[in-house]
Amino acid sequence: MANEQIDIGEMIQFFLKNSRRLFKVFSAFILLALVVILLTRNHYSSELKFIAQSGNSSSSLMSQLGGFSGLNLGSLGSQNTDQLSPSLYNEIIYSYPFLWKLSQQEIIYQGEKMKLGVFVENDRRPSLKSLVKTYTIGLPSQLFGKQPDPLDLDIIVQDSTVFTNRQLLPLLNEFKKMINLVSDQTTGTISLQAETLDPEVSAQMVAHLYKLLSEYVVEYKTEKAIQNLEFIEKQLEEAQRKFYEAQEKLYKFRDRNQNLNLSVFRADEERLQVDYNLANSLYNNLSIQMDQAKLKVQENIPQLTIINPPVVSYSTSKPNIPLILAVCIFLGLAVGFSWILFLFLKNHILKSE
């Protein structure tokens, strides 16, 4: 009798008979939704959109200089600087040195200036894992041990030592939860988002995010070009000094020996003239390279353009009440029907044996 077919009418009657069970499960999930909504603090989100373009406007200027000087600078001017990938932007904003600098930025909260890190630390809630650890294995130290010192955000932390300051990690990890970067491949726009407990702070955080990210990107893209420029500057100073020395020696020699036409003096003059020409050629070449290096630095500076500035939005981003209710209603119905269906199949199998 194990292959006996299921009577649909009997199954419907069983469901109607156990509708109270369905109502209990459904009510439990609705209650869970209300608890989640009540326990979730209101969060406010702010967003900034920008586009990033490589600065290659110096290419035409390089070509013009090459034409004036008779040199071929087209190859240098035609090298386009690739844009940074969105994944690299994410690596930057989620790095601990970047988050530490973000925590040091000043904001206005309730009419007072404070560091962004102070605001986040004051409103930060410990994770469930840390709460369990604190009130289980860490309970003796909580009762009898020395209480930890409050977090000091006025300390000087170098980028290379952020990772050694373990007391900063909970704060920096909290920043990771509050910020986000989203790129749109179709339009090429990049969105910076921040979510805090205060709408005005969220807008200020996004503004600081963009400012710091711009500084990081500019430094990253121009670092090699600036190093090359500094090297050429030193070489140019040395070449200029040698050129002036050769020039002074040649002119002084000519002034002292204007009326002499001896071969030995002409040989000395020719030697000084050669030294002068070499120094002059090196000096001129380095001067041209200096101009090229300056243009290269300018070319590598990315153009970050804001197309949608951050605004203060008083509409809450969390809790998402419609989404929470929809999920709990779906789960309540699914679990309730599944439970009753399980009971029906169980009774059906027992009757069939």
Side-chain angles (χ1 to χ4, degrees):
M1 302 295 293
N3 295 327
E4 182 179 348
Q5 294 183 351
I6 297 175
D7 187 351
I8 301 298
E10 181 183 354
M11 185 174 64
I12 294 176
Q13 290 180 359
F14 186 86
F15 268 82
L16 293 176
K17 187 177 180 179
N18 290 272
S19 58
R20 187 181 294 258
R21 297 177 186 270
L22 176 63
F23 179 76
K24 289 180 179 180
V25 174
F26 181 78
S27 300
F29 275 90
I30 293 297
L31 180 62
L32 175 63
L34 295 176
V35 171
V36 171
I37 292 172
L38 292 176
L39 292 182
T40 303
R41 294 183 292 180
N42 290 339
H43 288 68
Y44 303 88
S45 179
S46 186
E47 182 182 50
L48 179 148
K49 286 187 177 182
F50 69 95
I51 55 176
Q53 296 176 331
S54 297
N56 53 9
S57 60
S58 59
S59 299
S60 59
L61 183 57
M62 298 279 284
S63 300
Q64 294 177 15
L65 288 177
F68 293 150
S69 61
L71 299 175
N72 182 16
L73 305 182
S75 60
L76 180 60
S78 62
Q79 295 175 355
N80 292 327
T81 305
D82 295 332
Q83 298 184 15
L84 294 180
S85 64
S87 60
L88 187 54
Y89 282 113
N90 270 306
E91 291 293 334
I92 292 175
I93 68 170
Y94 290 130
S95 64
Y96 284 125
F98 181 89
L99 295 174
W100 167 251
K101 290 184 179 181
L102 180 62
S103 70
Q104 297 297 296
Q105 304 302 307
E106 284 193 345
I107 59 171
I108 304 296
Y109 177 62
Q110 296 181 350
E112 297 183 0
K113 281 187 178 182
M114 68 168 56
K115 288 184 177 180
L116 189 55
V118 174
F119 171 82
V120 175
E121 179 65 16
N122 291 341
D123 292 319
R124 181 175 65 86
R125 283 182 175 178
S127 63
L128 180 60
K129 178 181 178 181
S130 62
L131 284 175
V132 172
K133 182 179 179 181
T134 299
Y135 291 102
T136 53
I137 61 176
L139 187 59
S141 60
Q142 289 288 325
L143 296 176
F144 308 106
K146 180 182 178 182
Q147 295 299 321
D149 297 330
L151 186 63
D152 184 10
L153 291 176
D154 293 326
I155 58 176
I156 299 176
V157 178
Q158 302 296 331
D159 289 354
S160 58
T161 61
V162 170
F163 303 98
T164 63
N165 291 269
R166 296 182 60 86
Q167 70 273 19
L168 296 176
L169 294 184
L171 172 64
L172 301 182
N173 289 331
E174 187 70 18
F175 272 105
K176 288 185 178 182
K177 303 175 185 177
M178 303 168 68
I179 62 178
N180 189 28
L181 186 145
V182 180
S183 60
D184 190 339
Q185 298 294 337
T186 57
T187 61
T189 59
I190 300 175
S191 300
L192 282 173
Q193 301 168 352
E195 188 178 68
T196 70
L197 299 176
D198 185 271
E200 296 180 0
V201 174
S202 296
Q204 294 178 72
M205 182 185 290
V206 169
H208 287 305
L209 267 173
Y210 175 77
K211 179 178 71 71
L212 290 177
L213 182 60
S214 301
E215 294 173 357
Y216 266 73
V217 170
V218 170
E219 181 180 358
Y220 175 83
K221 296 291 288 184
T222 60
E223 182 178 6
K224 291 183 179 179
I226 290 177
Q227 290 178 354
N228 183 55
L229 175 62
E230 293 175 348
F231 174 77
I232 294 177
E233 284 180 344
K234 294 179 180 179
Q235 297 299 315
L236 181 61
E237 291 176 359
E238 181 66 16
Q240 184 183 52
R241 183 185 63 80
K242 291 181 178 180
F243 168 67
Y244 287 162
E245 289 179 356
Q247 186 182 54
E248 184 179 3
K249 289 180 181 179
L250 177 62
Y251 291 167
K252 286 183 177 180
F253 179 85
R254 287 176 175 175
D255 290 341
R256 289 195 303 265
N257 303 280
Q258 289 182 359
N259 299 323
L260 297 178
N261 197 22
L262 298 177
S263 298
V264 64
F265 290 108
R266 288 200 302 271
D268 290 340
E269 182 181 7
E270 290 177 358
R271 178 178 57 79
L272 292 174
Q273 182 68 47
V274 170
D275 293 342
Y276 169 80
N277 292 338
L278 290 175
N280 184 35
S281 177
L282 179 60
Y283 176 66
N284 289 334
N285 288 335
L286 286 174
S287 297
I288 294 174
Q289 291 184 34
M290 181 75 169
D291 292 334
Q292 294 177 15
K294 289 180 179 179
L295 291 172
K296 191 64 178 177
V297 172
Q298 186 64 32
E299 180 185 7
N300 286 352
I301 296 177
Q303 305 297 324
L304 302 183
T305 305
I306 297 177
I307 59 176
N308 188 14
V311 295
V312 179
S313 175
Y314 292 94
S315 59
T316 58
S317 57
K318 288 182 182 178
N320 192 336
I321 297 178
L323 179 61
I324 294 174
L325 288 176
V327 170
C328 288
I329 289 174
F330 172 78
L331 290 177
L333 293 175
V335 172
F337 277 108
S338 298
W339 184 25
I340 296 176
L341 180 61
F342 171 77
L343 294 177
F344 172 76
L345 294 176
K346 180 180 178 182
N347 291 337
H348 180 73
I349 293 174
L350 292 176
K351 289 180 180 180
S352 300
E353 292 180 350

